[in-house]
Amino acid sequence: MGERAKTGKINVGRFFEDYRLGDVIRHAVPRTLAGAERALYHMLYPARHALYSSDEFARASGLKASPLDDMIVFHTVFGKSVPDVSLNAVANLGYGEGRFLAPVWPGDTLRSESEVIGLKQNSNGKTGVVYVRTRGLNQHGTTVLEFVRWVMVRKQHLDAPAPDTTVPDLASAIDASDLVVPQGLTFDAYDFELAGEGHRLGDYSVGEKIDHVDGVTVEEAEHMLATRLWQNTAKVHFDTSARPDGNRLIYGGHVISMARALSFNGLANAQMVVGLNAGAHANPCLSGDTIRAWSEVLDTAETTTPGVGAIRLRLVATKGGAPFALRKEDGKYRSDVLLDLDYWALMPT
């Protein structure tokens, strides 16, 4: 099993040559989540989805109470993996095969572990791409979230031999039949007025695009609060000397949560994120950028639970760019595109 590089008693993180295919890394430190995380999350982002805002709304939907926001779970599990996976990263490149497998409740304790499933040294010989499958587990050992991500990591010793190239074959999307609907969830008594919009799954058509209209300017202070809240220790988010331009890079998850919150305007009933099909941080986000968002409906599907449908969405965050503009003529992302995220959410049919 690969070990983090050490200087005396100090861990300085893993470099590309420290990873071995098949390594399983148990990440420190477990974290007990509480209602305070929800309050802080809703302070940082304009999050308003009713199922995560109201115990009474959640109980009317068949749950024992309001679970913690899906992105709180993602950030917590992701943050635990950073010291072992992306402390020396140049960039977090993408996501795939993500599934939310069980609700997380205030009082639950989460820990994370990652398996190295791919390695590829870049042609410059200075960096390489590490692919990991990360799992978040609760205090009962139940996996609540799993996802694959790939990260570009620096080499410490440029003469270290390149590993055999292994790039995992990942599904382009989670099949709707593999999505997990929380036990007991029902939308039979769903209150559309309290939820904020009247649109059901059948009101959306594949190919439809929605401009979420609003924008939020990212400030340095809120970003630093967010990365500390999620215990994300990646140097590029904290240390101005970690990037040549002297700027602290806004944590990509901050952009995800901001865009997801903005999507409420037009997708208020896309209540629970249950699948992460793919995702890319197309361009860096810096303090002072104004995040806007638009969505495209990619698919709709029934689930095994009557009345609960699934909607597959492309969520695009931009820094002020025109809605619905994604790529240039050469196929590369436009410079104003920050995030391109493909996900499944649950919605009343």
Side-chain angles (χ1 to χ4, degrees):
M1 180 178 296
E3 298 291 340
R4 280 185 286 182
K6 296 181 179 180
T7 303
K9 293 183 174 65
I10 304 301
N11 288 315
V12 296
R14 287 172 169 82
F15 294 87
F16 179 69
E17 64 268 29
D18 297 321
Y19 295 92
R20 301 290 182 271
L21 196 66
D23 278 359
V24 176
I25 307 166
R26 300 179 71 222
H27 306 300
V29 174
R31 178 167 177 174
T32 301
L33 296 169
E37 275 82 1
R38 189 204 310 275
L40 286 166
Y41 185 87
H42 289 190
M43 178 190 73
L44 287 165
Y45 312 105
R48 291 181 287 162
H49 288 89
L51 203 64
Y52 293 122
S53 297
S54 165
D55 284 342
E56 293 306 313
F57 193 97
R59 291 188 186 108
S61 300
L63 303 179
K64 65 180 183 180
S66 177
L68 292 175
D69 297 64
D70 37 59
M71 287 297 119
I72 291 178
V73 178
F74 174 80
H75 293 318
T76 302
V77 172
F78 184 101
K80 294 292 153 202
S81 74
V82 167
D84 295 310
V85 175
S86 47
L87 190 65
N88 294 305
V90 178
N92 190 57
L93 299 177
Y95 310 95
E97 294 189 354
R99 293 194 303 157
F100 292 82
L101 300 171
V104 174
W105 312 98
D108 281 351
T109 297
L110 299 187
R111 61 182 177 88
S112 302
E113 62 181 36
S114 297
E115 179 184 0
V116 180
I117 61 172
L119 294 167
K120 181 182 183 295
Q121 181 165 300
N122 291 326
S123 58
N124 62 14
K126 299 178 181 179
T127 59
V129 179
V130 180
Y131 297 79
V132 297
R133 187 180 302 276
T134 297
R135 296 178 178 88
L137 301 96
N138 65 17
Q139 66 273 26
H140 306 296
T142 301
T143 301
V144 299
L145 168 65
E146 64 179 12
F147 59 90
V148 173
R149 71 171 172 130
W150 45 105
V151 185
M152 187 187 302
V153 181
R154 296 179 180 87
K155 291 184 73 173
Q156 184 179 34
H157 304 293
L158 299 186
D159 58 351
D164 293 336
T165 296
T166 302
V167 176
D169 184 17
L170 301 176
S172 59
I174 303 294
D175 192 275
S177 63
D178 292 326
L179 301 175
V180 176
V181 178
Q183 186 175 2
L185 183 70
T186 175
F187 290 146
D188 290 347
Y190 193 89
D191 191 323
F192 286 89
E193 186 175 14
L194 287 182
E197 290 178 352
H199 311 306
R200 299 174 176 268
L201 185 68
D203 296 323
Y204 294 89
S205 56
V206 175
E208 179 180 357
K209 295 180 179 179
I210 304 164
D211 179 5
H212 300 301
V213 181
D214 303 311
V216 176
T217 302
V218 177
E219 298 179 2
E220 194 81 9
E222 68 184 21
H223 165 248
M224 297 307 295
L225 282 170
T227 50
R228 291 181 181 126
L229 176 62
W230 313 126
Q231 298 175 321
N232 186 327
T233 58
K235 296 174 184 177
V236 291
H237 303 320
F238 281 89
D239 185 348
T240 57
S241 69
R243 283 172 48 87
D245 62 6
N247 289 313
R248 287 182 287 201
L249 186 68
I250 302 298
Y251 162 48
H254 194 69
V255 179
I256 292 175
S257 277
M258 194 67 75
R260 160 73 172 155
L262 290 171
S263 75
F264 178 89
N265 191 353
L267 287 166
N269 297 314
Q271 288 289 351
M272 304 185 80
V273 175
V274 288
L276 296 174
N277 298 307
H281 297 291
N283 287 288
C285 181
L286 302 175
S287 177
D289 288 342
T290 297
I291 297 176
R292 301 185 184 277
W294 57 270
S295 294
E296 178 183 3
V297 180
L298 300 179
D299 199 1
T300 61
E302 300 292 330
T303 72
T304 55
T305 302
V308 178
I311 185 168
R312 183 181 170 191
L313 297 161
R314 161 175 270 159
L315 175 62
V316 176
T318 71
K319 47 183 176 182
F324 316 137
L326 184 64
R327 296 182 184 272
K328 299 180 293 184
E329 290 183 1
D330 61 5
K332 295 182 179 179
Y333 285 109
R334 291 168 51 99
S335 61
D336 57 283
V337 173
L338 298 172
L339 171 74
D340 183 7
L341 187 71
D342 178 342
Y343 72 101
W344 284 103
L346 300 180
M347 177 181 283
T349 58

